[in-house]
Amino acid sequence: MGFSVAASLGTHIALRNTHEARIKCHFLYKRQESNIIGFKFSKPKALQRKISLSKQEFSDLDERKSPDEVREEIKKCYELIHRLGRGAVYLGSSRMGPSHSHYVQTQELAKEIANLLECTSWSGAGPGLMDAVTQGAMLAGKPVGGFKIGKEAGEWTASNFHPYLPSENYLTCRFFSARKHGLVDAVVRNNSFDKTAVVALPGGIGTLDEVFEMMALIQLERIGSKFPVPLLLMNYDSFYSKLLDLLKDCEGWGTVSKGEVASLWKVCNSNSEGLAYLEEFYGISSIDKSKSVTKFCSTYESPSS
């Protein structure tokens, strides 16, 4: 891709286009009267050339005509959360399909958490483990919402639409910043009765980006300053064990305080550990659990029974 470079030295300006012949400098001279060093060019017309952008660069700028566009998308995220309710936010891979063991575990976990906390389940509304979350929450009969991104790894990249989730339950975001605002707002607790959680499932670069951002916000008390929010790291099949080793090394280097990371999340090697932690965190008794199960069963009771 061609680009133009403008350089200034003294009172002279040089402009060079990478697709065209280079401008040769005849000689370097010094004007004694003003003590200014400058260049004299063999092609003075080059100074009149305009700096141009490629079609791709124009396209990129067109995506962000105004900060108002980002602001408007954030507003839509907040409106969706207000309508469906805050709850459990899931972060995870879009590449692990139905045949993967983590998909099966995630589907079951999402169903159990939705019933346990009786809350809305939020995800990236995409394929992979995000699809497992959607499926699990729908099996629980609880609200499901999502913040989809226009392009993501895995399938469904050609369409901004979800194949089966009602269109009013998710938002396809153009801007990652707006999407992140939505994911964060969906776990904020306004009172002691709200039950929310961040559930970090196995994933790649995007997942790690979101997990560490959530973790940093909890560390800095931007989330949970008044009413704490639990963060679960689902370490299925020791998926995150090497990451945990790295963070332990960070303690040795002094970049994080000893025990600081452990205080920000709960590492869970199985669904049962995660559910037990949420029960303890919110003080959910076995009586509360049985009421939730009874309510679920009565809602989905077969007409013939």
Side-chain angles (χ1 to χ4, degrees), residues 1-9 12-25 39 41-53 57:
M1 178 179 70
F3 60 92
S4 299
V5 178
S8 174
L9 198 153
H12 293 70
I13 298 175
L15 188 67
R16 178 170 64 83
N17 192 295
T18 56
H19 284 328
E20 299 177 5
R22 295 183 178 180
I23 302 171
K24 296 182 179 179
C25 176
F39 285 100
F41 301 99
S42 60
K43 294 184 180 180
K45 289 184 178 180
L47 300 177
Q48 301 174 1
R49 292 177 186 154
K50 295 181 179 179
I51 298 176
S52 60
L53 297 173
E57 289 168 319

Side-chain angles (χ1 to χ4, degrees), residues 79-181:
E79 289 172 348
L80 181 60
I81 295 167
H82 180 74
R83 182 159 51 83
L84 295 181
R86 293 185 171 100
V89 170
Y90 294 84
L91 315 171
S93 174
S94 62
R95 300 174 189 257
M96 294 177 170
S99 61
H100 201 288
S101 62
H102 294 177
Y103 183 102
V104 178
Q105 288 171 285
T106 296
Q107 185 178 33
E108 183 63 24
L109 179 66
K111 184 181 74 173
E112 294 294 336
I113 290 179
N115 281 325
L116 180 68
L117 303 185
E118 297 191 66
C119 66
T120 302
S121 297
W122 294 93
S123 75
L129 299 188
M130 298 297 91
D131 183 48
V133 169
T134 302
Q135 294 274 4
M138 291 180 74
L139 286 172
K142 305 298 182 183
V144 183
F147 298 106
K148 200 177 186 316
I149 198 68
K151 185 177 181 181
E152 58 195 327
E155 50 191 305
W156 302 349
T157 54
S159 172
N160 291 336
F161 300 99
H162 196 282
Y164 60 87
L165 194 62
S167 59
E168 63 271 17
N169 282 39
Y170 69 95
L171 180 67
T172 299
C173 298
R174 293 169 58 204
F175 306 103
F176 270 98
S177 55
R179 181 174 182 262
K180 285 185 175 181
H181 271 285

